[in-house]
Amino acid sequence: MPDALDATPYDALLLLSFGGPEGPDDVVPFLENVTRGRGIPKERLKEVGQHYFLFGGVSPINDQNRALLDALRKDFAEHGLDLPVYWGNRNWAPYLTDTLREMVRDGRRRILVLATSAYASYSGCRQYRENLADALATLKDEGLELPRADKLRHYFNHPGFVEPMIDGVLESLADLPEDVRDGAHIAFTTHSIPTSAADTSGPVEGHGDGGAYVRQHLDVAQLIADAVRERTGVDHPWQLVYQSRSGAPHIPWLEPDICDHLEERHAAGVPAVVMAPIGFVSDHMEVLYDLDTEAKAKAEELGLPVRRSATVGADPRFAAAIRELITERAATERGERVTPCALGTLGPSHDLCPVGCCPARAPRPAAAGADSPYA
């Protein structure tokens, strides 16, 4: 048996994700949850839902989270980490509030939260914290004893997150025809967000010019590009590009879009492209539709060979990284000296989101931060 790892003071881990429909009848209600408060008509939601209907109304994200849960539990058991793992979603069952209620009734009083978003941004961090605060407020209204919830730091530059993506790019390059392989361009993709949200991502002192969101993605892209060069001997050109824009046309969002980028690279004479979705933890709908369907159709129209590299998903190295982040944070909370693990030039992210980090347009309470009402 492995030596027991100490998670004290924590008594549970909560996997907190976005959620997704699991059948055609779920699609519109799910989108209503996602867009609640924006006044979007149901007919418009049905149009948006066509992406899901192409795949039988089922988002892959829930099955991918189940696979990650299995990987985490397996890794914890193999390494002597006695920490139960729960799962709650922001927008679909199992809902976050229901899961937190279950955790309280199971006697959990100090929990760690793993969000399925690796980078700093309002939608990728603070919005999760706001939903966590909303759920805790509901439990408080029900008279339940509230647990303390701490969020694991951003893991974009942890080796267990980066190494699987390096392997994915190498495998995609190897799958290209030999005559275009060495000249292939790498398009590192992530979710586009409004430029205003990017500029205010991360701590206040780093706001402006894309903020932490763009800097963190560029650092990961450089890490992968450097590793590919070291392992193949080929220095592939690369660029950070964006996908999955969903906002009003008059609001500036991060660009270029992946499909525009493919057109531009083809016009410049690039012989092939590897699309590497570094901004996504798993192959969920934005990857399956925006890359595997829409972008690949654009590449076919252009006659441009493309490959799409794998996301991290439930890779055992990622599960191990989460275990390491847990024991690192637990040791810090116990007052022990810790050397956080991080690659690249940016170093490890903060454990506690500071005031003003990734602010919303309208202030709302957010848990697991320096401004949390539930410290």
Side-chain angles (χ1 to χ4, degrees):
M1 293 291 291
D3 294 333
L5 295 176
D6 191 2
T8 309
Y10 298 105
D11 54 19
L13 175 70
L14 168 63
L15 176 66
L16 177 55
S17 194
F18 192 80
E22 301 204 76
D25 293 342
D26 297 343
V27 172
V28 171
F30 162 73
L31 292 173
E32 287 175 331
N33 288 342
V34 173
T35 61
R36 183 175 290 115
R38 301 183 203 172
I40 298 176
K42 183 170 287 190
E43 290 307 309
R44 173 59 182 151
L45 294 180
K46 289 179 180 177
E47 293 176 19
V48 174
Q50 292 305 313
H51 295 182
Y52 291 96
F53 293 129
L54 287 174
F55 297 89
V58 179
S59 168
I61 193 170
N62 281 346
D63 277 346
Q64 289 162 4
N65 280 325
R66 293 182 184 103
L68 179 56
L69 289 167
D70 289 343
L72 291 171
R73 289 165 179 152
K74 181 175 185 290
D75 179 90
F76 291 2
E78 289 176 348
H79 292 85
L81 181 61
D82 184 15
L83 194 70
V85 185
Y86 295 75
W87 170 35
N89 290 324
R90 291 168 48 198
N91 298 298
W92 201 249
Y95 288 103
L96 169 59
T97 302
D98 295 336
T99 300
L100 277 178
R101 188 181 295 113
E102 176 188 0
M103 296 177 80
V104 168
R105 290 173 176 167
D106 286 347
R108 312 304 176 193
R109 294 295 177 261
R110 188 79 187 271
I111 65 175
L112 271 171
V113 179
L114 165 63
T116 54
S117 178
Y119 301 85
S121 71
Y122 171 72
S123 57
C125 183
R126 186 175 177 89
Q127 195 168 21
Y128 282 83
R129 294 175 47 227
E130 290 176 352
N131 292 151
L132 188 58
D134 291 343
L136 290 169
T138 298
L139 298 190
K140 183 177 181 181
D141 290 344
E142 294 174 358
L144 296 176
E145 182 178 352
L146 299 187
R148 174 171 165 177
D150 293 333
K151 181 178 176 290
L152 286 173
R153 66 178 173 89
H154 299 301
Y155 46 83
F156 65 93
N157 57 1
H158 194 286
F161 187 68
V162 176
E163 285 290 340
M165 293 190 292
I166 293 170
D167 287 349
V169 172
L170 290 169
E171 290 167 8
S172 292
L173 286 167
D175 191 49
L176 283 168
E178 189 173 357
D179 61 332
V180 299
R181 186 179 304 151
D182 286 355
H185 170 88
I186 305 173
F188 293 106
T189 77
T190 190
H191 208 301
S192 184
I193 61 175
T195 56
S196 58
D199 291 346
T200 56
S201 58
V204 172
E205 60 270 18
H207 287 180
D209 297 325
Y213 187 74
V214 172
R215 285 195 302 275
Q216 290 171 359
H217 281 87
L218 286 173
D219 208 44
V220 171
Q222 187 67 66
L223 281 167
I224 297 171
D226 288 347
V228 168
R229 183 185 65 252
E230 290 166 6
R231 298 180 196 185
T232 66
V234 179
D235 192 6
H236 291 273
W238 63 269
Q239 186 172 337
L240 178 64
V241 302
Y242 302 93
Q243 61 174 91
S244 313
R245 175 185 172 136
S246 59
H250 67 281
I251 297 175
W253 282 51
L254 293 173
E255 295 178 336
D257 176 77
I258 179 60
C259 289
D260 295 338
H261 183 66
L262 292 176
E263 288 187 336
E264 189 272 334
R265 290 291 82 204
H266 177 256
V270 166
V273 173
V274 168
M275 301 182 294
I278 61 172
F280 304 90
V281 171
S282 63
D283 289 3
H284 51 66
M285 188 55 69
E286 276 96 342
V287 175
L288 290 189
Y289 182 79
D290 296 328
L291 294 184
D292 291 354
T293 304
E294 196 170 51
K296 284 189 176 179
K298 171 58 69 175
E300 185 174 348
E301 172 192 318
L302 296 169
L304 178 66
V306 296
R307 298 292 185 271
R308 195 270 291 174
S309 66
T311 52
V312 172
D315 190 288
R317 290 168 291 182
F318 182 45
I322 301 308
R323 167 176 39 85
E324 292 169 6
L325 289 170
I326 290 167
T327 55
E328 169 198 301
R329 181 63 181 274
T332 299
E333 292 296 312
R334 295 193 301 267
E336 299 172 15
R337 190 169 184 174
V338 174
T339 302
C341 186
L343 300 175
T345 63
L346 299 180
S349 293
H350 46 258
D351 280 332
L352 192 68
C353 291
V355 175
C357 190
C358 304
R361 293 179 196 167
R364 287 179 55 192
D371 55 354
S372 171
Y374 301 107

